[in-house]
Amino acid sequence: MMPILTPDLLRTGAASAAVALPDPALLSLPEKVLQFGTGVLLRGLPDFFIDKANRQGLFNGRVVVVKSTDGGDAGAFARQGGLYTVCVRGMEDGQAVAENVVCAAISRVLSARSEWAGVLAFASNPDLQVVISNTTEVGLELLDGEDIHAAPPRSFPGKLLAVLWARFQAFEGAPDKGLVIVPTELVPENGTKLRAILRTLAERQALGPDFLHWLDTANDCCNSLVDRIVPGAPAPGALAALHAELGYADELLISAEAYRLWAIEGGERVRQVLSFAPADPGIFIQPDITLFRELKLRLLNGTHTLSCGLAVLAGFGTVRAAMDDRNMASFVQNLMLADLLPGIPYPIDEKVGQRFGLQVLDRFQNPAVEHRWLAITLNYSAKLQLRVVPTLVHYSRQFGAVPQYVALGWAAYLLFMRGETQDEKGTWHGRLPDGTPYPINDEQAGYFADLWQRLPVHMLTASALANVSLWGQDLGALPGFTAAVTQHLALLLTHGAPAAVGALLGRAVPAPAL
């Protein structure tokens, strides 16, 4: 019978050579971090970094996790002593990466529902320095009627404020007992938003001016940005193969891509407390992390958005499949580095942008991640407005020219949005050149279906681009953009997506039969 991953397995070294085991001595490190959430992103990024730092003797602290519910994997953490395997697969600098690491960062998991007293007891631990959270975007909310004296409070901010109140009381407001709080929820200015909620809630709970002063001055609530694809547990067949390779069974095993980023906004005090940062080049602590947000939004997300319709129309199911095609891979690279990077409406060092772009291309080529283009088309119009419009406008004003790769991507968007039929749920469906239908999951699907039924191509393009309510401004006013999109759209309609891409790249591509 195959053994399971436990602290005893570490001590006996019974695992295979295919996994990097931590020194058992790391299991005795003091508990320094309180983490809200057991999700795979937290385990595959912050906890992964903390474990890496502990191995290097940099942070020397472990994580106490608060779990909001009693179901799921709570029992597995107890059975495995908090240990789990991270299987890293991906591309880095054009080279394949494959490594297996047993993470020993998590000390124990407490249930908020049944062990809230234990959470508050940990609040008075002098070793505690850091709070990390990932409670999804809706977790950062101010609830009416929240009571921080409940066991437990309903919301994540309520729970966190209860911890801070308990700590304030335990140490009589000592200024050196404040915490560095790093939310990782995918919300812009997440730390700023959380701090505002905490303060409002503290005022509502009448916790007094001394506590408010301590909350404001002794604690840092940092904006942060996390980026790593952590799919979680592999499919059963792949999981069984990994267990055989590792030499043990692991209920908590997760996979993660090689790329990793944790950008944290803070100064010297934050840097001193988060002493794990030097352990990995993917961790950045800087006074302003706007750069990282802009790079991710404009290059990674923007490239995905402007490529998805074109890729679907060209018959590619996944990002990796498109990157295996010479022409499509060239389109993606040129779109990102020639059009989107120069158009970012924020000062970017060209070398930094180029480096980030090459990392994105590595991620797109990762054979271990199956990212489907059709899933990326969800809320297509809103994504274009948020991720691409500012870049397009800045490029046009900066260079007085049309970014042609953006224009082809936009033309493909218009063609993708040509809804021809509606199903019983009201979802519009388009049709590929071979007749295969696809769903258009976008609030503007009906608007575009109407345009395609009423207008010829040149009028449709002009009308759609001039829609200020859709884009926040008249994109038809950008010199040459309407003409360029119309030209690309006509080519897509007559010769298909592969030929349109080939024409833009100056390469001959056989046109498919339409």
Side-chain angles (χ1 to χ4, degrees):
M1 182 176 179
M2 182 174 291
I4 67 169
L5 177 59
T6 64
D8 286 340
L9 186 139
L10 295 190
R11 297 183 183 101
T12 61
S16 77
V19 61
L21 298 175
D23 188 320
L26 298 183
L27 303 180
S28 301
L29 291 174
E31 297 172 332
K32 292 186 177 181
V33 182
L34 180 63
Q35 176 175 296
F36 288 86
T38 61
V40 294
L41 178 63
L42 288 173
R43 291 197 281 135
L45 194 66
D47 298 342
F48 178 87
F49 284 144
I50 290 171
D51 176 75
K52 188 172 183 179
N54 288 341
R55 292 169 186 252
Q56 299 175 28
L58 289 177
F59 183 63
N60 299 319
R62 302 185 78 201
V63 181
V64 174
V65 177
V66 178
K67 186 173 175 59
S68 297
T69 61
D70 292 330
D73 50 13
F77 282 101
R79 287 189 292 274
Q80 297 186 185
L83 300 172
Y84 62 94
T85 311
V86 182
C87 298
V88 179
R89 301 290 186 272
M91 304 290 292
E92 203 162 38
D93 296 327
Q95 302 297 314
V97 174
E99 61 179 3
N100 308 306
V101 180
V102 169
C103 182
I106 293 178
S107 172
R108 54 196 171 112
V109 176
L110 298 174
S111 164
R113 291 183 179 177
S114 59
E115 299 174 290
W116 185 243
V119 176
L120 294 183
F122 182 51
S124 62
N125 187 325
D127 291 324
L128 177 60
Q129 298 178 339
V130 182
V131 174
I132 303 170
S133 71
N134 193 295
T135 55
T136 75
E137 292 83 343
V138 298
L140 298 185
E141 61 178 347
L142 177 64
L143 295 183
D144 291 334
E146 177 67 283
D147 178 11
I148 71 160
H149 305 294
R154 290 181 296 155
S155 67
F156 158 60
K159 293 180 178 71
L160 177 56
L161 188 62
V163 166
L164 293 170
W165 173 242
R167 190 167 182 81
F168 172 80
Q169 292 179 306
F171 295 105
E172 299 179 339
D176 64 339
K177 290 299 186 289
L179 303 176
V180 172
I181 303 163
V182 191
T184 68
E185 288 80 1
L186 296 178
V187 175
E189 306 291 325
N190 46 19
T192 301
K193 182 175 182 178
L194 178 58
R195 176 180 285 280
I197 294 173
L198 291 172
R199 203 176 200 292
T200 300
L201 191 54
E203 292 170 349
R204 290 182 180 179
Q205 298 284 284
L207 299 182
D210 290 343
F211 175 75
L212 289 174
H213 177 75
W214 182 82
L215 178 65
D216 290 341
T217 61
N219 299 272
D220 292 273
C221 208
C222 307
N223 294 320
S224 85
L225 175 69
V226 291
D227 190 10
R228 190 178 208 181
I229 298 173
V230 186
L239 182 60
L242 280 170
H243 284 169
E245 177 186 352
L246 300 172
Y248 58 79
D250 180 357
E251 296 180 70
L252 298 170
L253 182 149
I254 58 174
S255 58
E257 68 170 333
Y259 179 83
R260 64 253 178 229
L261 170 69
W262 193 10
I264 302 167
E265 206 163 81
E268 187 56 34
R269 181 167 70 170
V270 170
R271 189 172 287 105
Q272 289 179 1
V273 173
L274 304 185
S275 57
F276 52 75
D280 192 281
I283 308 174
F284 298 86
I285 300 177
Q286 297 183 1
D288 185 350
I289 62 170
T290 305
L291 165 67
F292 300 98
R293 188 176 298 112
E294 283 292 314
L295 286 172
K296 180 178 185 294
L297 183 66
R298 308 304 173 193
L299 295 191
L300 190 152
N301 300 138
T303 300
H304 261 159
T305 302
L306 274 171
S307 302
C308 62
L310 189 64
V312 170
L313 295 170
F316 297 109
T318 65
V319 174
R320 172 59 194 270
M323 297 304 291
D324 284 340
D325 178 84
R326 174 175 173 246
N327 281 353
M328 195 66 194
S330 294
F331 170 83
V332 169
Q333 179 170 333
N334 292 341
L335 167 67
M336 183 190 307
L337 300 181
D339 281 6
L340 297 181
L341 177 58
I344 293 178
Y346 180 87
I348 302 284
D349 180 272
E350 185 176 357
K351 290 184 178 179
V352 173
Q354 292 278 351
R355 172 62 179 162
F356 186 89
L358 293 174
Q359 289 176 324
V360 170
L361 292 173
D362 277 342
R363 301 175 74 184
F364 286 1
Q365 296 176 75
N366 186 353
V369 175
E370 187 178 87
H371 202 168
R372 304 201 65 80
W373 285 115
L374 198 57
I376 300 172
T377 66
L378 178 67
N379 299 322
Y380 205 161
S381 303
K383 288 176 178 176
L384 276 176
Q385 195 278 332
L386 173 66
R387 300 171 174 180
V388 180
V389 167
T391 310
L392 167 63
V393 172
H394 184 73
Y395 185 103
S396 178
R397 292 172 179 170
Q398 186 84 358
F399 302 103
V402 175
Q404 290 294 333
Y405 295 95
V406 172
L408 176 54
W410 212 287
Y413 155 75
L414 294 177
L415 182 54
F416 178 89
M417 296 294 291
R418 182 171 63 175
E420 297 184 4
T421 59
Q422 271 184 298
D423 60 23
E424 64 280 0
K425 296 180 180 179
T427 300
W428 281 96
H429 289 257
R431 196 171 299 279
L432 296 177
D434 66 0
T436 303
Y438 60 84
I440 304 173
N441 292 306
D442 188 292
E443 290 185 353
Q444 304 301 328
Y447 163 74
F448 280 102
D450 176 65
L451 286 187
W452 276 101
Q453 291 172 6
R454 293 190 298 105
L455 301 176
V457 169
H458 70 285
M459 293 180 64
L460 177 146
T461 304
S463 179
L465 293 178
N467 190 331
V468 176
S469 65
L470 194 55
W471 312 120
Q473 53 196 295
D474 180 1
L475 299 183
L478 301 179
F481 190 61
T482 300
V485 173
T486 302
Q487 182 179 4
H488 289 302
L489 181 54
L491 189 57
L492 286 168
L493 284 165
T494 55
H495 295 291
V501 172
L504 182 57
L505 295 170
R507 300 170 183 169
V509 178
L514 296 178

